[in-house]
Amino acid sequence: MLCNKRDDRTPLGSAQEESLLWTLEEISRLVSHSGNPAETLANIVRLIQRRFETDVCSVYLLEADRSTLVLAATVGLRQESIGRVRMRLNEGLAGLVGEQLRPQVVEDATRHPRFKYFGEAGEDPYHSFLGVPLIDRGLLQGVLVVQTAEPRSFGMDVVRMLTTAGAQLASIVSEARTMGQFVAPPTSAWRPWRTTCGGAGTTTR
């Protein structure tokens, strides 16, 4: 039985909101000072995991086929699963976020009909799920996910702050892709793609 549930649905206290606002400023600094997109991505994931007090923070990037997400950075899941864990937009909870282009809050992910188990990721201990889409200029770039081992009800304030953080993250992913840079580590099979004036994603081969 799940117990000791943490409830984040109440409005954020001033100290917690100030901490999350600092997170947004720190992300802005990381984005403006780093020239390495993959390193920036990893640093932002670590920052979000710490500031939002979660056990896991992961980023799944949309691949060149525009229909598959690949794990590109994580704190909490197994590092060897980066570049290996993939799901189509019609699979899994991260896929659901990308498919519907809106946040998904799930208190017990294993009970959700869209839950998909990835044994190689080592996500067995984690129950609560919050995922937000990474969208830049109307185009999906990926999905930002936080998870906790203890049951947690993520409130709208937390969802709003993570969505804002995701918007900042989406911009660096989009810029890197436009320049043909790799955002994911070299071990990943993720390939950059750039957008055309027509707004559609075009693969870079």
Side-chain angles (χ1 to χ4, degrees):
M1 181 192 307
L2 301 179
C3 56
N4 299 322
K5 184 178 76 172
R6 172 169 165 174
D7 194 337
D8 285 349
R9 289 174 297 183
T10 55
L12 295 177
S14 58
Q16 187 179 8
E17 180 144 14
E18 182 178 356
S19 174
L20 296 182
L21 288 173
W22 269 108
T23 302
L24 301 181
E25 292 188 17
E26 289 176 291
I27 291 175
S28 296
R29 286 198 295 270
L30 286 172
V31 170
S32 61
H33 288 95
S34 176
N36 184 322
E39 180 182 344
T40 302
L41 184 66
N43 289 337
I44 290 175
V45 164
R46 283 192 291 268
L47 174 63
I48 291 174
Q49 181 268 339
R50 187 173 67 251
R51 288 293 195 181
F52 281 78
E53 300 179 349
T54 61
D55 299 304
V56 175
C57 179
S58 305
V59 171
Y60 298 83
L61 295 181
L62 195 64
E63 291 197 290
D65 63 5
R66 302 289 299 150
S67 63
T68 306
L69 293 168
V70 58
L71 179 63
T74 185
V75 173
L77 300 183
R78 292 174 182 157
Q79 291 299 303
E80 56 267 30
S81 65
I82 292 176
R84 297 180 180 177
V85 171
R86 282 180 166 76
M87 69 190 78
R88 298 185 66 80
L89 291 180
N90 60 0
E91 298 177 319
L93 287 169
L96 182 63
V97 175
E99 184 179 47
Q100 297 191 354
L101 299 177
R102 62 183 179 88
Q104 297 290 331
V105 181
V106 183
E107 190 172 317
D108 188 353
T110 61
R111 296 178 178 271
H112 195 281
R114 279 289 294 264
F115 174 74
K116 183 173 183 178
Y117 178 70
F118 294 95
E120 65 270 35
E123 60 180 354
D124 302 66
Y126 308 116
H127 295 279
S128 299
F129 173 98
L130 167 58
V132 300
L134 303 179
I135 300 174
D136 183 67
R137 289 168 286 187
L139 195 64
L140 179 68
Q141 302 292 333
V143 175
L144 172 63
V145 172
V146 293
Q147 296 169 270
T148 64
E150 66 170 353
R152 184 183 302 188
S153 298
F154 293 102
M156 290 309 300
D157 284 342
V158 175
V159 175
R160 174 176 53 84
M161 297 297 285
L162 191 66
T163 300
T164 304
Q168 292 177 296
L169 183 54
S171 68
I172 67 167
V173 174
S174 177
E175 181 179 356
R177 282 175 153 158
T178 300
M179 297 174 65
Q181 297 175 319
F182 281 83
V183 186
T187 54
S188 172
W190 179 84
R191 296 172 304 187
W193 47 266
R194 55 170 59 95
T195 55
T196 64
C197 295
T202 302
T203 60
T204 303
R205 299 184 186 276

